Amino acid sequence: MSKIHVYFMPGMAASSAIFERIKLPEDIFEMHMLEWFLPEKKETLKQYAQRMANEVKHENAVLIGVSFGGILVQEMAQFLNPKKVIIISSVKSNKELPRRMKIAKTTKAYKILPTSLLENVQLLVKYAFGDVMKQRIKLYEIYLKMRNKHYLDWAIEQVVCWDRVEIDPYVIHIHGDADEVFPSKNIKEFINIKGGTHIMILNRFRWFNSNLPEIILK
């Protein structure tokens, strides 16, 4: 029996290391990790999605994307013939974006975010108060690999200005009801992870390991 090829796309600025604890049965699935690359100047999300789709080397692959990676795999789907599209901690259309992001789009406030700060995580540590923030920054150091200002400015704009209005009914959406980035009150029809936060791919990996195989196969 030929294996099912599953491609994983991490969230904004993250590396595929966020999936390091995700394990699918090797006799059925083959896992492939996608990584962010730098967008070209004035590149649209659609153009970027087409370039990323070229990294998918198998027909009828399953695409799994987290957060902004979830938005991207939905855009990639039009250039591929995926078996399934699964998004985690993400949104299915711009109607599911939180109000603050809609306001940021209208006011263009996203253009003034100090994204250059993220290029220097060490600098952020100096301003971090308390161990919780230091722990979080340690996580950022491990998982946030794409800290290039051009990429971050581009990525934030693509999320805030995403033009998808119609929800694709075939997209499978897994979401936590404690997600602080994309609050679940704005989200329609999803598999609810009780208490799941925006980083549940890291701290609820056991749930994914138990449930993803069945979600993919059914």
Side-chain angles (χ1 to χ4, degrees):
M1 191 181 90
S2 60
K3 291 186 182 183
I4 296 168
H5 295 275
V6 187
Y7 283 79
F8 289 84
M9 187 76 227
M12 186 186 294
S15 79
S16 64
I18 67 165
F19 302 113
E20 65 192 0
R21 290 178 174 149
I22 302 298
K23 303 277 184 274
L24 300 177
E26 288 178 11
D27 53 333
I28 307 173
F29 305 100
E30 194 167 321
M31 295 170 62
H32 306 271
M33 300 299 158
L34 297 168
E35 302 285 358
W36 294 103
F37 45 71
L38 280 178
E40 287 164 3
K41 217 175 155 102
K42 293 200 166 37
E43 188 166 25
T44 65
L45 184 59
K46 213 174 232 68
Q47 289 165 335
Y48 190 94
Q50 189 165 12
R51 285 208 291 149
M52 189 62 82
N54 293 335
E55 302 293 312
V56 177
K57 307 298 184 195
H58 301 90
E59 279 291 307
N60 294 108
V62 175
L63 304 178
I64 297 182
V66 172
S67 192
F68 179 38
I71 290 175
L72 184 66
V73 295
Q74 290 174 81
E75 293 295 322
M76 288 163 64
Q78 60 197 305
F79 303 109
L80 299 161
N81 183 25
K83 181 183 177 73
K84 272 201 171 123
V85 176
I86 299 169
I87 65 170
I88 298 164
S89 310
S90 190
V91 291
K92 299 182 291 297
S93 82
N94 58 19
K95 290 183 176 148
E96 294 187 335
L97 291 171
R99 190 161 166 266
R100 62 190 152 74
M101 288 191 190
K102 291 174 181 169
I103 292 167
K105 179 185 177 180
T106 312
T107 60
K108 295 211 173 353
Y110 62 88
K111 287 186 180 290
I112 55 171
L113 288 168
T115 45
S116 54
L117 261 181
L118 277 173
E119 288 182 295
N120 187 349
V121 176
Q122 295 302 333
L123 187 71
L124 274 176
V125 176
K126 280 188 186 164
Y127 294 103
F129 300 102
D131 292 338
V132 176
M133 194 61 190
K134 283 191 174 147
Q135 278 304 109
R136 187 163 271 206
I137 284 170
K138 272 209 184 95
L139 277 180
Y140 287 164
E141 281 219 281
I142 298 165
Y143 297 113
L144 289 190
K145 293 296 184 215
M146 182 64 98
R147 297 190 200 132
N148 175 283
K149 179 172 163 44
H150 167 58
Y151 163 83
L152 290 165
D153 289 340
W154 173 84
I156 290 165
E157 183 168 359
Q158 302 317 309
V159 174
V160 171
C161 301
W162 194 29
D163 60 5
R164 179 166 297 208
V165 182
E166 295 293 319
I167 287 175
D168 179 346
Y170 293 105
V171 169
I172 296 163
H173 192 170
I174 304 170
H175 209 81
D177 59 13
D179 193 304
E180 63 283 13
V181 176
F182 299 124
S184 62
K185 65 178 185 192
N186 305 313
I187 310 279
K188 288 186 172 64
E189 289 185 35
F190 59 96
I191 297 167
N192 182 23
I193 309 297
K194 210 155 176 44
T197 65
H198 196 64
I199 59 161
M200 64 183 184
I201 195 70
L202 293 176
N203 54 26
R204 300 294 285 274
F205 64 90
R206 287 184 188 87
W207 185 94
F208 289 99
N209 290 346
S210 300
N211 293 276
L212 268 181
E214 190 192 339
I215 291 168
I216 293 169
L217 290 170
K218 78 174 181 192

